[in-house]
């Protein structure tokens, strides 16, 4: 259906007796609080690309190996109901002006790489003047973690045009309580995921031990409730999977935090947010046989999605997270390998039904997935009640950072007797130091505040030095504290 309030596209299923919204556009820019909100934007150029592009990270099945770009492909058998691809034997097809539209690329990887580290959303909008209470932090921005800086926040309204606010607005804001994605603390990840406890959705409020991760702003077009996967039927057959909001209990949060730390420990440190959101670009599997390794699996999905899948696998017995979406609740009962069609890289129009095994997949255009390297299969993967990486990021993404700007620095000094060499005195101290946006060189110029290290300014060594560090606290330590 066309855009109507919170519904831009819907799913109709007569068997379930429902028509459910699948995408939730925001009414205005003040409702956009994080990059993952753009998962509701149609960024897919082709029908075979993901419905939710931004924030998700599964490898595209049509990419050769685990790269992000596969070059030129061309459609075969255009009159068929099945769209499939055959690799062109040359770099660019003869009719490249038409076939260039059929480039195969990993839309999620490229969108994440382009967006996550270059943009942020404050919810303040770019038009008009903000109230004095907002710039004084007496009132909160829609993203309440972002606060105007005491030193220059009042000058935000001096940015005259929307373009000035787009380019320079971040110089006047700071993130209160950002979370470092490189944390290997289970308790820290558990705390950030638990920040979603007790949230209200439509007219219902989750319990104090239930964390809400709702893809839709108003599930069920404003009439949906919380979705708890049933134990007596596949989750995909429940109307709530399409109209409800997911909530995870404390045990599910605990397991998800544990699996996230495993992924961070294996893949980190992450040098940027997109590095954390995206999968790794790994080489294609050598085979047959095609044996997955810990390294090759990093090319299948991003760390947060891998943690969700691993946590679901651990919680099969209790139906936790997405495990109720295993068809009939039994792993392996949905699309057995014998039922999967593969399309060999032969002549255009060639389609073969084969028994998918390691040997028969050699040379196939569609790479070996085995449902992403596992022996079980999801049904209705990606419906609103199915937790995805983008859903988690939609909730916590605005808090995340790839680096810390506050540091604990400890120092040690000693005095030795010059004759005996004996240590006569020792001292330990500790400072809490924060990197702040102010350039080392004081300047009233907005350009110096926004980008002091810019090439045009580095003729001045003070500008080349970048930004200031501010000592927040200092204390002497006792030997017992070291």
């Amino acid at each position: 259906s066309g855009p109507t309030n919170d519904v831009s596209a819907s799913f109709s299923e007569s068997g379930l007796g429902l028509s459910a919204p699948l995408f939730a556009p925001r009414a205005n820019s003040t409702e956009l609080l994080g990059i993952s909100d753009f998962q509701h934007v149609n960024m897919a150029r082709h029908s075979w690309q993901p419905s939710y592009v931004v924030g998700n990270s599964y490898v595209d099945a049509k990419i050769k190996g685990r790269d992000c770009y596969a070059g030129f492909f061309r459609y075969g058998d255009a009159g068929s109901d099945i769209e499939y691809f055959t690799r062109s034997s040359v770099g660019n097809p003869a009719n490249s002006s038409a076939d260039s539209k059929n480039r195969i690329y990993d839309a999620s990887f490229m969108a994440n790489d382009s967006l996550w580290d270059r943009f942020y959303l404050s919810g303040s909008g770019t038009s008009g003047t903000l109230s004095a209470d907002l710039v004084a932090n007496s009132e909160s921005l829609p993203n309440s973690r972002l606060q105007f800086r005491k030193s220059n926040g009042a000058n935000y309204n001096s940015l005259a045009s929307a373009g000035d606010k787009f380019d320079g607005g971040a110089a006047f804001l700071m993130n209160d309580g950002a979370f470092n994605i490189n944390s290997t603390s289970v308790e820290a990840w558990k705390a950030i995921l638990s920040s979603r406890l007790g949230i209200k959705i439509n007219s219902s409020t989750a319990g104090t031990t239930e964390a809400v991760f709702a893809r839709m702003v108003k599930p069920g077009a404003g009439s949906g409730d919380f979705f708890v996967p049933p134990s007596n039927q596949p989750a995909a057959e429940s109307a709530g999977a399409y109209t409800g909001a997911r909530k995870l209990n404390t045990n599910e949060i605990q397991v998800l935090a544990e699996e996230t730390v495993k992924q961070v420990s294996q893949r980190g440190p992450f040098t940027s947010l997109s590095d954390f959101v995206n999968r790794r670009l790994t080489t294609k599997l050598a085979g047959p046989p095609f044996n997955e390794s810990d390294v090759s699996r990093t090319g299948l999905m991003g760390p947060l999605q891998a943690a969700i899948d691993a946590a679901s696998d651990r919680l099969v017995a209790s139906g936790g997270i997405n495990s109720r979406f295993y068809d009939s609740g039994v792993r392996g009962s949905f699309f057995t390998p014998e039922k999967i069609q593969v399309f060999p890289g032969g002549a255009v129009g060639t389609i073969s039904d084969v028994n998918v095994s390691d040997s028969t997949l050699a040379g196939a255009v569609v790479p070996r997935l085995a449902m992403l390297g596992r022996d079980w299969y999801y049904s209705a993967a990606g419906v609103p009640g199915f937790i995805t990486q983008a859903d988690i990021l939609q909730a916590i993404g605005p808090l995340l950072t790839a680096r810390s700007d506050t540091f604990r620095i400890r120092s040690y000094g000693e005095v030795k007797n010059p004759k005996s060499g004996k240590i006569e005195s020792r001292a330990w101290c500790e400072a809490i130091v924060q990197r702040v946006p102010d350039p080392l060189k004081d300047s009233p110029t907005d350009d110096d505040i926004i980008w002091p290290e810019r090439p045009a300014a580095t003729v001045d060594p003070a500008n080349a030095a970048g930004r200031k560090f501010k000592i927040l606290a200092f204390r002497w330590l006792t030997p017992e504290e070291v």
Side-chain angles (χ1 to χ4, degrees):
S1 62
T4 305
N5 295 329
D6 298 286
V7 183
S8 65
S10 61
F11 164 85
S12 298
E13 173 54 59
S14 58
L16 294 176
L18 61 91
S19 178
L22 298 180
F23 302 90
R26 304 303 193 257
N28 54 65
S29 61
T30 62
E31 295 183 1
L32 289 168
L33 303 182
I35 297 300
S36 241
D37 284 342
F38 288 115
Q39 72 165 313
H40 297 280
V41 176
N42 180 16
M43 292 192 177
R45 186 173 183 181
H46 300 290
S47 60
W48 42 263
Q49 288 178 319
S51 298
Y52 302 101
V53 171
V54 177
N56 283 310
S57 61
Y58 281 125
V59 63
D60 194 300
K62 286 159 283 298
I63 301 296
K64 183 179 181 181
R66 305 282 164 78
D67 204 342
C68 65
Y69 178 66
F72 286 94
F73 278 67
R74 60 171 180 251
Y75 286 105
D77 193 8
S80 171
D81 291 333
I82 301 175
E83 284 188 347
Y84 64 97
F85 298 88
T86 302
R87 185 173 295 280
S88 175
S89 59
V90 295
N92 288 8
N95 186 14
S96 59
S97 62
D99 287 344
S100 64
K101 297 179 180 179
N102 300 329
R103 289 189 180 99
I104 306 303
Y105 59 92
D106 190 324
S108 286
F109 185 97
M110 292 186 171
N112 292 332
D113 186 58
S114 298
L115 294 173
W116 277 93
D117 298 287
R118 302 178 187 178
F119 303 95
Y120 81 104
L121 296 163
S122 69
S124 65
T126 56
S127 61
T129 301
L130 297 185
S131 70
D133 287 336
L134 273 176
V135 295
N137 297 318
S138 299
E139 295 179 4
S140 297
L141 289 168
N143 178 357
S144 60
R145 293 290 187 129
L146 293 179
Q147 297 189 2
F148 286 95
R149 297 172 53 210
K150 294 180 180 179
S151 61
N152 72 342
N155 298 331
Y156 176 83
N157 286 323
S158 67
L159 299 174
S161 69
D164 290 339
K165 292 177 180 177
F166 179 84
D167 291 331
F172 300 85
L173 294 164
M174 295 189 76
N175 194 337
D176 182 22
F179 182 79
N180 194 319
I181 54 176
N182 287 299
S183 172
T184 54
S185 166
V186 171
E187 289 303 310
W189 277 103
K190 183 178 176 181
I192 200 70
L193 293 169
S194 297
S195 66
R196 306 293 297 174
L197 295 173
I199 288 178
K200 183 177 181 179
I201 294 293
N202 291 334
S203 59
S204 300
T205 303
T208 56
T209 60
E210 298 169 323
V212 179
F213 296 94
R215 184 177 309 167
M216 312 297 291
V217 176
K218 296 180 179 180
S223 61
D225 206 330
F226 292 110
F227 171 55
V228 179
S231 59
N232 60 347
Q233 69 184 69
E237 297 178 9
S238 171
Y242 304 84
T243 62
R246 281 302 302 274
K247 55 184 179 181
L248 304 181
N249 59 39
T250 52
N251 183 50
E252 291 172 303
I253 291 295
Q254 175 70 35
V255 175
L256 181 56
E258 291 171 1
E259 294 298 330
T260 300
V261 166
K262 289 179 183 178
Q263 291 296 321
V264 172
S265 299
Q266 178 187 348
R267 305 189 195 204
F270 301 102
T271 58
S272 65
L273 286 179
S274 63
D275 189 28
F276 172 74
V277 174
N278 272 331
R279 61 186 178 86
R280 289 283 187 257
L281 298 183
T282 59
T283 58
K284 66 177 182 179
L285 295 179
F290 296 90
N291 296 317
E292 296 282 359
S293 66
D294 288 342
V295 173
S296 72
R297 286 185 185 277
T298 65
L300 293 171
M301 65 195 82
L304 194 52
Q305 187 63 58
I308 294 170
D309 287 0
S312 299
D313 206 18
R314 283 178 56 183
L315 295 169
V316 167
S318 62
I321 307 185
N322 289 331
S323 59
R324 290 291 185 212
F325 284 89
Y326 297 144
D327 190 64
S328 301
V330 179
R331 287 176 291 175
S333 63
F334 189 62
F335 288 140
T336 59
E338 292 76 13
K339 294 180 182 178
I340 297 177
Q341 267 189 335
V342 298
F343 312 113
V348 175
T350 301
I351 303 178
S352 298
D353 288 334
V354 298
N355 183 339
V356 177
S357 65
D358 290 335
S359 60
T360 56
L361 274 173
V365 168
V366 180
R368 174 184 185 267
L369 286 181
M371 281 298 174
L372 301 177
R374 297 178 180 272
D375 60 354
W376 40 259
Y377 310 93
Y378 286 128
S379 60
V383 300
F386 182 97
I387 293 281
T388 68
Q389 172 178 293
D391 297 335
I392 301 293
L393 290 173
Q394 187 171 287
I396 67 173
L399 314 180
L400 302 182
T401 180
R403 56 170 289 171
S404 295
D405 282 316
T406 305
F407 309 90
R408 185 190 306 272
I409 301 174
R410 288 186 170 185
S411 183
Y412 165 79
E414 61 184 33
V415 175
K416 287 185 179 181
N417 186 304
K419 291 185 177 180
S420 66
K422 181 180 178 181
I423 297 175
E424 296 187 343
S425 178
R426 290 178 173 145
W428 296 264
C429 64
E430 175 185 276
I432 305 298
V433 179
Q434 182 182 25
R435 179 178 179 262
V436 295
D438 299 297
L440 183 63
K441 176 186 176 182
D442 291 329
S443 173
T445 305
D446 286 341
D447 285 344
D448 288 341
I449 296 173
I450 295 168
W451 189 12
E453 308 94 333
R454 68 193 187 281
T458 53
V459 292
D460 185 332
N463 272 334
R467 304 180 188 276
K468 292 179 180 179
F469 282 84
K470 181 180 180 181
I471 299 175
L472 302 180
F474 177 87
R475 68 188 184 105
W476 296 102
L477 302 175
T478 64
E480 292 75 24
E481 292 179 284
V482 178

